[in-house]
Amino acid sequence: MSLEYAILVSLRERAGSGYELARRFDKSIGYFWAASHQQIYRSLKRMVELGWVDCDQVAQLKRPDKKVYRVSDAGAEELRRWIAEPAATRNDLTVKLRGASFGDVAKVRDEFARQRDLHVQRLSLYREIERRDFGDPAKLTGQALHQHLVLRGGIRTEQALLEWCEDAIRALDDDQRG
């Protein structure tokens, strides 16, 4: 997935400046699609050139004018087209594990331990977000339902990845003991 589509989704939810968009990424979309502020600004520039987003200059007191981005009709159509495409996934860690015997198995094991710790932290964060923002999931509809389903997918993914990391660590440890 390219960053542009994650930006289109965010801007469809709510128009905003590059700074506001980057903050939203830091608090939500960034959990499953990481992007630096520089990458977001570069993508916004490219998306304006493509005609996918429009930009309005908003005057501010004692500050430079702010650019507020919103999805254009062409951008909305491109997003609809992209949403209809089959999704692709990839995971570098699986390739590292597959090739562990060609490198340093202990370092691969250490990376699984590091990843396990990250999944524990992220799972805890996702559960806290669910408690805080989605008190009664059975009553959700529309955009709130879709956001909750993404979060539930994140929770389940983190649970599965955590278990996989623990399994891999055990198996790699057992293999090294031999």
Side-chain angles (χ1 to χ4, degrees), residues 97-110:
L97 181 57
R98 174 92 182 228
S101 60
F102 305 118
D104 188 337
V105 175
K107 290 206 182 297
V108 172
R109 188 255 182 237
D110 292 346

Side-chain angles (χ1 to χ4, degrees), residues 5 8 52 73-83 85:
Y5 296 105
L8 284 173
W52 291 1
D73 290 343
E77 184 55 38
E78 177 59 22
L79 181 58
R80 277 190 290 278
R81 185 203 62 74
W82 176 79
I83 287 172
E85 286 183 354

Side-chain angles (χ1 to χ4, degrees), residues 112-174:
F112 268 89
R114 189 181 77 77
Q115 291 290 324
R116 176 202 54 211
D117 295 345
L118 291 173
H119 293 303
V120 165
Q121 292 170 1
R122 191 169 292 152
L123 181 58
S124 175
L125 175 64
Y126 286 0
R127 286 179 171 153
E128 177 56 33
I129 291 169
E130 185 176 43
R131 279 189 292 278
R132 183 190 69 215
D133 296 346
F134 301 100
D136 191 356
K139 293 183 179 178
L140 298 174
T141 61
Q143 186 176 340
L145 172 65
H146 304 156
Q147 290 171 344
H148 183 253
L149 289 171
V150 168
L151 181 60
R152 288 299 307 154
I155 289 170
R156 289 187 176 135
T157 298
E158 292 304 321
Q159 289 169 329
L161 289 171
L162 175 58
E163 291 174 14
W164 180 54
C165 286
E166 290 172 345
D167 288 347
I169 291 166
R170 275 192 300 276
L172 290 170
D173 286 346
D174 290 346

